[in-house]
Amino acid sequence: CSCNGTLDSEGTSIVSEWNLVCESAWVSDFITSLQMLGMVFGCIATGKFSDWYGRRNSFLATVLIMGMGSAVSAVATDPYLYGFCRFLCGAGLSGYLGLTSVYTMEFQTPRWRPLCGAVGPWGEGIMILAALAYFIPSWRLLTMATSLPFILIIGIYPLLPESPRWLLRNQKIKEAHKVINRMAKMNGKEPLSMEF
């Protein structure tokens, strides 16, 4: 066509696979907007969900949403399904980022919270993604490759304790006592009494 749209090699991006140039060029930008809208929705929804049902369950929900959205994105047959999946990915990602910062800090004393908030895998993940994109030029295979780590994250779910602060705030004293004593044991400290 006689517009400014260009296509790269066949099938290496959604633009080339679904011919999103000229009168369809707006679709790829709209998909990005859907993902950003998903991030807004996910941030709000995960905050409420984690207050109601706990940090641990919310962690699993955000990981499942991200993993499912990413895996289905990789096999999407059209831009509409792909856009919906990117909305899910955005919702899962923003919920995950917000939740994991709160979840981990609720296990820390005030002295360690700044370090806990500053250190994380975000930068390393971006670097790994760049390397993966270099070696996996197909957008479908790259999307599938980035969805595989969610299986590993789901695998650690049984090992995760609920936040003791959330448990105490919701009057689940016995469960909080078990989590705190588990933490004490892991840190070589004496168990705390229920009265304490």
Side-chain angles (χ1 to χ4, degrees):
C1 61
S2 62
C3 64
N4 291 330
T6 58
L7 293 176
D8 58 1
S9 58
E10 187 62 35
T12 60
S13 72
I14 65 167
V15 173
S16 62
E17 183 168 327
W18 293 319
N19 200 25
L20 301 180
V21 293
C22 299
E23 65 276 351
S24 299
W26 63 273
V27 174
S28 60
D29 294 333
F30 185 70
I31 290 171
T32 301
S33 297
L34 282 175
Q35 185 167 339
M36 295 300 119
L37 184 63
M39 292 186 82
V40 171
F41 175 79
C43 190
I44 295 168
T46 302
K48 286 296 188 189
F49 190 86
S50 69
D51 285 344
W52 293 335
Y53 301 106
R55 312 301 191 230
R56 184 174 182 260
N57 292 329
S58 300
F59 176 80
L60 179 63
T62 58
V63 168
L64 288 174
I65 289 169
M66 281 192 302
M68 182 181 69
S70 192
V72 176
S73 291
V75 295
T77 56
D78 56 58
Y80 308 106
L81 178 59
Y82 183 76
F84 175 72
C85 291
R86 297 322 294 171
F87 175 87
L88 290 179
C89 289
L93 176 64
S94 68
Y96 178 84
L97 291 174
L99 177 66
T100 54
S101 64
V102 170
Y103 186 43
T104 54
M105 286 192 198
E106 286 183 345
F107 286 89
Q108 306 298 322
T109 59
R111 177 180 172 211
W112 293 102
R113 286 183 194 151
L115 179 64
C116 184
V119 175
W122 187 253
E124 293 85 349
I126 296 296
M127 290 186 284
I128 291 169
L129 178 61
L132 282 174
Y134 180 79
F135 291 109
I136 306 173
S138 166
W139 73 269
R140 288 185 182 277
L141 292 176
L142 179 62
T143 305
M144 188 57 75
T146 59
S147 70
L148 293 177
F150 297 115
I151 295 169
L152 299 175
I153 293 173
I154 291 169
I156 67 166
Y157 177 75
L159 305 174
L160 297 176
E162 182 56 80
S163 162
R165 294 177 193 269
W166 183 86
L167 290 167
L168 288 171
R169 193 189 79 202
N170 288 284
Q171 305 301 314
K172 298 182 181 214
I173 309 301
K174 288 182 182 177
E175 293 94 333
H177 184 251
K178 287 179 185 176
V179 171
I180 290 170
N181 280 339
R182 182 176 164 197
M183 291 167 55
K185 183 178 179 182
M186 290 176 72
N187 287 303
K189 305 290 183 187
E190 291 295 317
L192 298 175
S193 67
M194 182 68 91
E195 293 76 23
F196 180 80

